């Protein structure tokens, strides 16, 4: 089943579905099944512009409001992830240590991230590998792992 989005941005590595509420992004997810939907208002046009700049290596920090959702724990972890700067990575273990928790629940919080790119879970990696992405394990080597590898390569300095 394909989810409905207000706008679908076609990036070089796949379609990104976007939903908002009161000019705040509450969902931004990669989904290869989506077809382009043009922005319908000024806010979504700005989101589109920033995504275009990001994929052309001309923007490293998004300047659009977004809302982190989920459980209190997930929101805490995702706020920590949102602080990881462009071109950098941090391990699940390092985030766990900062938050006095374990790497696995950190990974689960990233898996449930509703606003990929804005909260850059692709920058969270394993100690010995790049880790999974959006619920896909590194061993699966599917669409989401392709996206994670592509985003890390794009941001490489």
């Amino acid at each position: 089943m394909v989810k409905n989005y207000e706008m679908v941005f076609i990036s070089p590595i796949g379609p990104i579905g976007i939903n908002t509420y009161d000019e705040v992004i509450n969902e931004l997810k990669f989904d290869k099944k989506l077809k382009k939907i043009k922005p319908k208002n000024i806010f979504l046009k700005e989101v589109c512009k920033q995504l275009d700049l990001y994929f052309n290596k001309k923007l490293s920090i998004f300047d659009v409001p977004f809302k982190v959702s989920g459980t209190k724990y997930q929101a805490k972890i995702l706020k920590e992830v949102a602080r990881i700067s462009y071109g950098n990575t941090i391990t699940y273990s390092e985030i766990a240590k900062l938050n006095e928790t374990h790497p696995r629940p950190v990974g689960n919080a990233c898996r449930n991230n509703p606003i990929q790119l804005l909260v850059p879970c692709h920058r969270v990696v394993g100690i010995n590998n790049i880790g999974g992405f959006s619920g896909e394990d590194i061993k699966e080597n599917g669409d989401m792992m392709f996206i994670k590898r592509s985003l890390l390569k794009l941001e490489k300095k």
Side-chain angles (χ1 to χ4, degrees), residues 109-153:
C110 289
R111 171 182 306 187
N112 294 306
N113 176 9
I115 46 178
Q116 298 168 345
L117 278 184
L118 302 180
V119 174
C121 287
H122 63 279
R123 297 176 189 155
V124 183
V125 297
I127 293 172
N128 299 313
N129 57 48
I130 68 165
F133 188 60
S134 196
E136 192 170 277
D137 187 271
I138 187 170
K139 295 175 199 117
E140 292 179 57
N141 212 14
D143 295 329
M144 298 313 292
M145 290 308 301
F146 167 78
I147 289 167
K148 182 170 186 165
R149 284 185 184 94
S150 297
L151 292 172
L152 290 172
K153 183 178 178 185

